[in-house]
Amino acid sequence: MFSALSQKLTSILDKLKNRGSLTEDDVKGAMREVRIALLEADVALPVVRDFIAKATEKAIGQDVLKSITPGQMVVKIVHDTLVDVLGEAQELKLTHIPTVILMAGLQGSGKTTFSGKLAMYLQKRFSNKKILMESLDVYRPAAREQLKILAGQVGVTYAGYDSDKPVQIAEQALSKAKKEGYDVLILDTAGRLQIDDVLMQELEVVVKKTSPHEVLFVADSLIGQEAYTVAETFKQRIPLTGVVLTRVDGDGRGGAALSIRSVTGCPIRFLSVGEKLHELELFDPNRIADRILGMGDIVGLVERVTETLDQEESEALAKRMQKGLFDLNDFEKQLSNMLKMGGFGGIMNMLPGMSKLKDKIDETKIDEKVIHRQIAVIRSMTQKERKSPKLLNASRKRRIALGSGVEVQDVNRLLKQHQDMETIMKRMKKLGMSGLMKAGLKGLFNMK
Amino acid sequence: MTDESKSKGWFSRLSDGLKKSTSKLTDGLTSIVTKRKLDDEMLQEIEDLLLSADVGYATSHRLVGALKKKRFQQDVTVEEVKATLAEDLTSILKPLEHSLTFEDKPTVVFMVGVNGSGKTTTTGKLAAQWKAEGQKVRVVAADTFRAAAVEQLSVWADRADVPLEKGAANSDAAALVYSSYETSISEHDDILIVDTAGRLHTKSTLMEELKKVVRVTQKLSEKAPHYTVLVLDANIGQNTIQQVKLFQEAVNVNGLIITKLDGTAKAGIIIQLADAFKLPIHYLGVGEGIEDLQSFEAAAFIENLLSLKSLVDR
Ligand SMILES: Nc1nc2c(ncn2[C@@H]2O[C@H](COP(=O)(O)OP(=O)(O)OP(=O)(O)O)[C@@H](O)[C@H]2O)c(=O)[nH]1
Ligand SMILES: Nc1nc2c(ncn2[C@@H]2O[C@H](COP(=O)(O)OP(=O)(O)OP(=O)(O)O)[C@@H](O)[C@H]2O)c(=O)[nH]1
Ligand SMILES: [Mg+2]
Ligand SMILES: [Mg+2]
């Protein structure tokens, strides 16, 4: 089963004689196999469709480099797209006192166990946090008893208000948390079907009365096509802020991760990997992507391809820079690399003789968000425009601003910055610094 | 899985079955829908329906392939095609309809499965149902690991009004099951239901432990356990196949119960199961209440799967 996709893609694509760039036909054939692989991994059908469209768009027209095969290239594109869609791991923020965290999900998904795990995790991570837990599950036999035992095992307080009304219990627990200065209140809820209107409404009221800062959707990673409908309805009814996947310790392919992430748009925060309280991990998109694609060896492959790409790319870039060339495509590559390597500061430090410029750039306080925005602006330009920015008149700028969701002045700012960089490149060439520069860049691009 | 070789049985039967051009289900009922050629678009629609029901890619593809071969370009409606498909799928699942009988006294029934699939709840429902049928039932809380698992079953035992056997937290489940079986024999019970702890099929230590619990019952009767029932959650996708495979290898599962069919999950995976394992399906869980248990009827199940009629009237 393992690496089946990788082999299939290789056999489809590597027959191609034309090794220039991937054509629509090449990609279509490959994507049929990707579609099957995703369905077999339990990714929900509508999500499969979106994903294939996205990956296809990325793949068509991609140059296939000499040192890797077209099959490897597509695997890498699919893998990267998957990692991209799955999103980064995001920590919970405990900025409020008390920070209220609410669990929600289907029956038996692992909410109560995760509540215990989270308490243990927070206790370990922040040694001085006061944590209160409460169960709002008045329906399932011994559900509240279960959370009480877990709270005892972790060593945190269990509120245990005596009532058969979940909303009332929640309100009482919250006022206790406020009065007694708890930092965190974890509210465990009863499992419920997304089509159970009465219970979904109850959840809405709990949310309204307690205004939780985090509403975590706890889902079984083994769930199949249902992931889509279930997550969609939960998302519609309550303001989810994050996803927790459970039973990741099994041998499931984990397609639910992609389905749920796509439908809710919420970051996947934790992976629950066992029955015991310490068996909890932070989400790792690479690991889940590998599982979904069913390729044990894909990590190595992707790393190899990435290395090759970086090397070929950086050599090409260095060559262009030696000639004093620096268009907006080059600028985009620089920006993307910056994201990889922790911003402008990091890069500039590695370039010889650039510390002055670094200070200047630090002054303008470029952060990641800005870089993302800048990349979006460049991507809204046509290839022609990227190669000769002089083409950019007012109406083109307006179009680009609209396309990337920024103001025209942002486009201007980007162009100004590009011009500054270009000037520096030209000056460098004149100063004969190209050798130095090349060495600097090599170090720059080889480091990950 | 060697789909091809194993499936010959029902799959070729199905392909033959699809030749039937009319079906009593469809006549009249669906003539309102305009007929059109069974074209690729319609086939895609049906494949999507099957895929969304967790039938799985390979099986969906083959089912649609068979449809295409037999009826391509004939004038039909989607509903007609669905109904034909429903009939044929029903005939595949029909042999799996199988309720439990209790010849030996006591008959030992093990409930096994992955975490949270519904073993304890189903134990409670079964105890109530069998007691209502006049059987003398006893339940064993053999999950000595999970927090409040014993308390949970104890509430169900009260609801069903049957006696409960339990041990201390983290005590040896095998010893508890052995002594409970002895009690059950001396008390002349008809049925002893053993609710085991949830475990993932991939965890070899836990599976070994389960084997041991099952094995001790054989010291008292070589026929025990009479039934080892694997409880499956309808929401789970393709991993269900692995679950059945590994549980069957470990403890010789001889029947299935599928829970949580009151939601929107369709459990189309059982078409693959029918093919690969031929295990009978005893009951379906359709809710959290004590009466939310149905015996498995292939026709109703398939109608629900193809969205023709819901399994539970809400
Ligand atoms: N193997 C494994 N088991 C888990 C994991 N998380 C929870 N479980 C088990 O899954 C079962 C159900 O977990 P619970 O925490 O009770 O689930 P829940 O969502 O609170 O269930 P309800 O309240 O009944 O809806 C228990 O047997 C847990 O021990 C996990 O990550 N891996
Ligand atoms: N909607 C619905 N919920 C069910 C059904 N069967 C069980 N549940 C719920 O699913 C959750 C898990 O059920 P349990 O009976 O505790 O499952 P289990 O297999 O004993 O779980 P562990 O012992 O922790 O492995 C509970 O919230 C049950 O109420 C069903 O048919 N429909
Ligand atoms: Mg719970
Ligand atoms: Mg149980």
Side-chain angles (χ1 to χ4, degrees):
Chain A
M1 239 351 214
F2 273 178
S3 56
L5 177 61
S6 158
Q7 272 164 21
K8 271 184 199 150
L9 292 185
T10 305
S11 71
I12 291 179
L13 290 163
D14 293 359
K15 278 186 285 211
L16 306 173
K17 292 205 186 72
N18 178 3
R19 284 286 195 83
S21 55
L22 295 169
T23 69
E24 197 168 335
D25 278 351
D26 306 340
V27 174
K28 281 237 166 81
M31 288 304 162
R32 263 195 292 277
E33 296 300 329
V34 176
R35 176 173 181 270
I36 295 173
L38 294 178
L39 285 169
E40 279 173 351
D42 283 327
V43 180
L45 192 55
V47 175
V48 171
R49 288 204 188 100
D50 282 358
F51 182 84
I52 294 291
K54 225 177 251 166
T56 304
E57 195 188 329
K58 273 198 190 171
I60 293 176
Q62 270 286 340
D63 289 336
V64 179
L65 299 154
K66 290 185 285 298
S67 33
I68 54 172
T69 71
Q72 288 172 327
M73 190 71 198
V74 172
V75 170
K76 181 180 153 49
I77 291 167
V78 169
H79 180 269
D80 288 355
T81 312
L82 197 48
V83 170
D84 196 44
V85 176
L86 285 170
E88 289 295 311
Q90 272 187 36
E91 274 250 48
L92 285 180
K93 288 191 198 87
L94 304 183
T95 37
H96 300 82
I97 296 178
T99 298
V100 180
I101 305 174
L102 182 77
M103 309 297 165
L106 290 179
Q107 286 95 344
S109 66
K111 297 171 293 301
T112 307
T113 308
F114 174 71
S115 300
K117 288 181 177 188
L118 181 64
M120 179 178 268
Y121 169 82
L122 292 176
Q123 206 181 37
K124 269 194 201 146
R125 177 124 180 31
F126 315 95
S127 52
N128 54 349
K129 296 285 180 203
K130 251 181 99 179
I131 300 170
L132 182 67
M133 298 226 268
E134 178 64 296
S135 164
L136 313 183
D137 186 353
V138 299
Y139 308 103
R140 211 206 69 195
R144 303 192 76 198
E145 181 69 18
Q146 186 186 352
L147 189 71
K148 182 181 171 185
I149 293 173
L150 296 181
Q153 287 172 1
V154 180
V156 298
T157 316
Y158 172 71
Y161 280 103
D162 188 21
S163 162
D164 58 2
K165 296 197 177 61
V167 178
Q168 223 170 56
I169 298 174
E171 284 176 317
Q172 277 177 324
L174 179 59
S175 80
K176 177 185 171 79
K178 282 180 177 161
K179 240 186 313 196
E180 299 175 19
Y182 281 92
D183 299 294
V184 182
L185 170 63
I186 297 175
L187 296 174
D188 180 25
T189 65
R192 64 202 72 214
L193 294 172
Q194 87 282 8
I195 51 171
D196 186 333
D197 199 49
V198 175
L199 286 187
M200 290 305 284
Q201 217 162 342
E202 175 199 284
L203 208 50
E204 287 172 342
V205 180
V206 169
V207 166
K208 211 168 132 201
K209 298 282 182 186
T210 59
S211 317
H213 306 95
E214 294 286 348
V215 181
L216 300 180
F217 180 61
V218 182
D220 189 335
S221 64
L222 305 177
I223 192 171
Q225 296 289 320
E226 275 305 287
Y228 191 90
T229 339
V230 174
E232 189 180 39
T233 313
F234 269 91
K235 168 78 185 174
Q236 278 164 3
R237 302 212 51 166
I238 51 173
L240 300 180
T241 62
V243 175
V244 177
L245 294 173
T246 65
R247 295 197 258 279
V248 180
D249 46 329
D251 60 348
R253 293 279 301 278
L258 181 62
S259 307
I260 296 172
R261 163 75 216 204
S262 303
V263 173
T264 62
C266 293
I268 302 172
R269 298 196 191 273
F270 292 99
L271 303 179
S272 179
V273 293
E275 297 169 58
K276 303 207 181 76
L277 288 175
H278 65 272
E279 291 173 320
L280 186 68
E281 290 175 9
L282 289 176
F283 174 62
D284 173 4
N286 280 293
R287 191 172 139 199
I288 297 293
D290 296 343
R291 258 207 206 203
I292 292 176
L293 294 177
M295 292 185 276
D297 58 349
I298 195 169
V299 183
L301 170 67
V302 170
E303 270 168 13
R304 243 180 358 261
V305 176
T306 310
E307 252 169 42
T308 320
L309 283 179
D310 285 355
Q311 209 175 328
E312 292 192 15
E313 212 170 70
S314 64
E315 274 166 17
L317 187 57
K319 238 179 236 155
R320 287 172 58 76
M321 285 172 138
Q322 279 172 44
K323 293 183 197 149
L325 296 174
F326 189 76
D327 67 13
L328 282 160
N329 278 322
D330 300 320
F331 192 31
E332 190 208 325
K333 264 178 214 148
Q334 283 272 23
L335 290 169
S336 308
N337 279 316
M338 262 171 226
L339 285 178
K340 271 195 233 155
M341 287 176 272
F344 244 119
I347 290 191
M348 289 306 168
N349 271 339
M350 285 182 285
L351 290 177
M354 291 293 249
S355 51
K356 260 201 205 119
L357 186 68
K358 177 185 180 272
D359 291 345
K360 240 192 183 162
I361 288 164
D362 276 353
E363 268 168 31
T364 58
K365 287 209 180 59
I366 287 169
D367 64 16
E368 286 201 1
K369 241 193 238 148
V370 176
I371 297 181
H372 276 297
R373 213 179 302 143
Q374 289 180 323
I375 291 176
V377 170
I378 299 179
R379 286 187 184 161
S380 297
M381 298 175 186
T382 65
Q383 274 301 335
K384 253 193 186 156
E385 289 165 346
R386 290 185 218 180
K387 283 183 184 134
S388 38
K390 284 191 191 75
L391 286 174
L392 293 169
N393 56 20
S395 87
R396 282 178 189 250
K397 282 179 189 167
R398 257 199 313 278
R399 189 205 79 229
I400 290 160
L402 210 64
S404 52
V406 300
E407 302 293 323
V408 172
Q409 66 207 54
D410 294 316
V411 178
N412 284 329
R413 207 170 298 139
L414 172 107
L415 291 173
K416 172 82 177 45
Q417 227 173 52
H418 166 250
Q419 228 170 31
D420 288 350
M421 303 262 306
E422 198 182 16
T423 315
I424 293 168
M425 297 303 160
K426 290 217 167 97
R427 202 177 303 148
M428 275 188 169
K429 185 195 165 206
K430 238 199 240 145
L431 291 172
M433 276 179 72
S434 57
L436 198 56
M437 186 68 195
K438 193 177 167 190
L441 271 175
K442 260 218 184 115
L444 175 72
F445 284 106
N446 283 339
M447 126 159 215
K448 185 109 202 252
Chain B
M1 211 181 27
T2 56
D3 270 319
E4 292 307 330
S5 58
K6 277 190 184 166
S7 67
K8 273 266 156 60
W10 68 253
F11 193 70
S12 56
R13 263 188 289 131
L14 171 67
S15 310
D16 296 342
L18 291 170
K19 275 185 215 150
K20 285 176 286 181
S21 57
T22 53
S23 129
K24 48 190 178 316
L25 258 168
T26 58
D27 280 347
L29 232 176
T30 50
S31 50
I32 351 152
V33 191
T34 31
K35 289 186 191 268
R36 63 179 213 254
K37 294 259 186 276
L38 179 64
D39 51 13
D40 282 330
E41 192 187 328
M42 202 188 275
L43 289 168
Q44 186 64 55
E45 206 173 309
I46 289 171
E47 183 174 305
D48 287 356
L49 180 74
L50 293 170
L51 286 172
S52 309
D54 287 316
V55 171
Y57 175 77
T59 309
S60 303
H61 198 67
R62 277 193 301 152
L63 288 169
V64 169
L67 271 178
K68 182 171 173 169
K69 221 157 122 197
K70 298 300 169 196
R71 302 196 54 168
F72 199 62
Q73 295 299 345
Q74 289 182 28
D75 281 326
V76 282
T77 65
V78 170
E79 295 308 311
E80 271 174 1
V81 180
K82 274 196 206 171
T84 315
L85 192 56
E87 274 198 358
D88 289 299
L89 289 177
T90 300
S91 70
I92 293 166
L93 296 186
K94 193 87 185 158
L96 306 185
E97 290 177 356
H98 189 282
S99 60
L100 301 174
T101 53
F102 310 102
E103 277 104 36
D104 287 327
K105 314 260 163 207
T107 294
V108 179
V109 183
F110 264 79
M111 307 293 280
V112 302
V114 302
N115 314 77
S117 65
K119 296 172 291 299
T120 306
T121 307
T122 309
T123 301
K125 293 176 187 175
L126 287 173
Q129 167 146 342
W130 289 336
K131 163 132 192 187
E133 286 169 9
Q135 310 278 7
K136 192 160 180 279
V137 184
R138 182 179 304 270
V139 296
V140 189
D143 182 354
T144 54
F145 174 76
R146 209 207 68 201
V150 178
E151 289 83 344
Q152 186 186 356
L153 187 63
S154 154
V155 173
W156 277 109
D158 286 348
R159 286 180 185 171
D161 192 24
V162 301
L164 168 85
E165 300 295 325
K166 60 179 183 186
N170 293 314
S171 63
D172 180 23
L176 169 69
V177 168
Y178 184 84
S179 69
S180 305
Y181 193 9
E182 279 184 326
T183 309
S184 194
I185 292 168
S186 63
E187 294 289 322
H188 305 290
D189 290 334
D190 297 315
I191 303 167
L192 180 69
I193 314 176
V194 181
D195 177 28
T196 66
R199 69 200 76 223
L200 283 178
H201 49 288
T202 48
K203 305 225 159 154
S204 51
T205 0
L206 296 180
M207 292 305 274
E208 281 306 315
E209 207 177 275
L210 182 63
K211 280 190 199 169
K212 186 179 146 205
V213 181
V214 169
R215 221 183 299 128
V216 295
T217 62
Q218 283 157 3
K219 290 185 185 160
L220 293 171
S221 160
E222 55 186 31
K223 280 193 185 160
H226 304 77
Y227 294 106
T228 303
V229 179
L230 177 62
V231 181
L232 297 171
D233 178 337
N235 291 293
I236 306 306
Q238 304 303 305
N239 193 246
T240 306
I241 301 287
Q242 283 304 104
Q243 294 181 11
V244 176
K245 188 164 179 274
L246 295 187
F247 268 99
Q248 198 180 28
E249 272 168 26
V251 292
N252 200 13
V253 168
N254 48 18
L256 307 173
I257 290 179
I258 299 156
T259 65
K260 309 186 195 176
L261 277 161
D262 47 327
T264 43
K266 302 291 197 286
I269 193 79
I270 76 164
I271 296 173
Q272 271 184 65
L273 289 179
D275 201 11
F277 302 98
K278 304 190 168 55
L279 286 168
I281 300 170
H282 303 308
Y283 291 99
L284 306 179
V286 291
E288 295 180 86
I290 198 158
E291 292 182 334
D292 295 329
L293 191 70
Q294 290 183 359
S295 43
F296 172 69
E297 280 171 36
F301 183 88
I302 290 298
E303 280 176 22
N304 182 54
L305 191 147
L306 294 175
S307 307
L308 294 171
K309 213 163 109 206
S310 137
L311 201 57
V312 193
D313 292 320
R314 323 198 116 255

